[in-house]
Amino acid sequence: YVFGGEMEPQAAKTYSDLMARSQELVAEDTLRSLDLSTVGTLLDVGGGSGAFLEHVGRAHPHVKLMLFDLEQVAPTAAPRFAAAGMDDRAQIACGSFKTDAIPEGADSISLIRVLYDHTDETVAMLLAKCWASLPVGGRLIISEPMSGGACPEPAGDVYFALYTLAMRTGKTRSIQEISTLCRQAGFDIIKTPKPARAFVTRCLEARKVASAPAVNFS
């Protein structure tokens, strides 16, 4: 997935199931940190089998849900949405953010445990595509493990340093590093709340501003 190769259907399902199970704590901490009650439509890029969107949908029954992920992965979200009674307000789109444009139509985009799997160059490209997809004033939500930066967080920093070493790509970034990448893409940083459990996830909220530069990566 990270290196852009093909995934066998069973491997994709196994990966999606693992990510969905580990998504529980991330979703809980994200929804505690950020108020999503004013979101109209949320697009989860790299949303896997829809675990995060299911949590959002349960917490905020008015929010419309959109999911974007690889064609081997995204369809696995359909049974989840149906079982949760959300299939009438959920849309699924297949594609790769590396080669395709991010779908339009959402006022908010979430990137849940996506950035740390990728290089700075790929992250910059993804953020620029998110900027292009959102309307002016649109909201960007990032939630993933982050390094402590100048104030290391031992448990998370050590574990995820080993994780990205094993993955052979990506890195855990500090909130300052991610904020810089977001600003370079044209976002204003709105909120970076203190994490409840830094080793689980940390959140950043940003908004698209009208005067921001947009780089076309589609």
Side-chain angles (χ1 to χ4, degrees), residues 57-112:
R58 291 188 185 280
H60 304 289
H62 69 282
V63 175
K64 294 180 181 179
L65 313 172
M66 296 175 64
L67 184 145
F68 180 67
D69 210 326
L70 300 172
E71 62 180 355
Q72 304 97 320
V73 176
T76 65
R80 177 186 295 277
F81 292 146
M86 300 176 185
D87 50 346
D88 62 335
R89 59 186 173 114
Q91 300 178 43
I92 296 172
C94 297
S96 168
F97 64 71
K98 289 186 175 180
T99 56
D100 303 312
I102 303 297
E104 297 182 356
D107 58 78
S108 301
I109 289 177
S110 55
L111 299 171
I112 310 299

Side-chain angles (χ1 to χ4, degrees), residues 125-216:
M125 175 268 294
L126 171 57
L127 292 175
K129 286 188 173 185
C130 289
W131 188 95
S133 169
L134 287 168
V136 173
R139 189 172 180 181
L140 177 69
I141 296 158
I142 296 172
S143 178
E144 65 176 43
M146 300 182 193
S147 73
C151 300
E153 199 286 314
D157 283 17
V158 172
Y159 174 82
F160 286 102
L162 292 172
Y163 169 87
T164 52
L165 179 64
M167 290 292 290
R168 296 181 291 124
T169 185
K171 64 178 181 180
T172 48
R173 299 172 178 86
S174 68
I175 192 70
Q176 292 81 12
E177 289 175 301
I178 293 177
S179 296
T180 296
L181 287 165
C182 288
R183 290 190 183 97
Q184 289 172 348
F187 290 98
D188 274 352
I189 309 304
I190 303 301
K191 185 183 297 184
T192 57
K194 183 178 180 180
R197 295 172 286 191
F199 61 90
V200 173
T201 198
R202 184 168 185 178
C203 300
L204 178 150
E205 178 185 343
R207 290 191 187 274
K208 174 177 176 174
V209 293
S211 60
V215 180
N216 183 10

Side-chain angles (χ1 to χ4, degrees), residues 20 23-45 47 49-67 80-81 84-87 89-90 106-112 139-143 203:
Q23 195 78 279
E24 298 289 327
L25 295 177
V26 175
E28 289 174 7
D29 283 9
T30 302
L31 292 176
R32 287 194 190 106
S33 295
L34 300 176
D35 178 12
L36 304 188
S37 63
T38 59
V39 172
T41 301
L42 177 64
L43 168 62
D44 194 23
V45 175
S49 63
F52 178 72
L53 284 179
E54 181 186 1
H55 277 77
V56 174
R58 291 188 185 280
H60 304 289
H62 69 282
V63 175
K64 294 180 181 179
L65 313 172
M66 296 175 64
L67 184 145
R80 177 186 295 277
F81 292 146
M86 300 176 185
D87 50 346
R89 59 186 173 114
D107 58 78
S108 301
I109 289 177
S110 55
L111 299 171
I112 310 299
R139 189 172 180 181
L140 177 69
I141 296 158
I142 296 172
S143 178
C203 300

